[in-house]
Amino acid sequence: MLRASLHLIRSTRGLASEGEERIGKLLRERFPKAKVVDVQDISGGCGSMYQVAVQSVEFKGMTKLAQHKAITGCLSTEIQDMHGLRIDTKAL
């Protein structure tokens, strides 16, 4: 589903899960200039593993490690209940 300049990937069920929506909202709040915020539950729907992609000018000048730390810092509370998190970032 395309909303303005933000894109949220829907789960295989066709609708975003509560977890996908919550994580997407946190990322959009933390990175308001992001052109892309994609969140997908890749655990089969149980919410234990997510894949996130964020493309933002806010990453400009940051190393990939710093970009990923910014994501994990933003999601620090949610990560406590996850088994895994795949992160893809891109500076625009």
Side-chain angles (χ1 to χ4, degrees), residues 23-71:
I23 290 168
K25 181 177 185 249
L26 289 169
L27 291 169
R28 288 188 300 274
E29 287 172 356
R30 170 61 180 85
F31 304 101
K33 296 179 182 177
K35 295 294 180 192
V36 174
V37 173
D38 293 333
V39 179
Q40 187 173 19
D41 181 342
I42 57 173
S43 65
C46 71
S48 64
M49 187 162 181
Y50 289 89
Q51 179 170 303
V52 300
V54 179
Q55 296 180 12
S56 179
V57 297
E58 293 153 310
F59 292 138
K60 190 170 181 131
M62 296 172 70
T63 65
K64 190 63 83 168
L65 178 61
Q67 293 172 21
H68 286 215
K69 283 184 176 184
I71 298 291

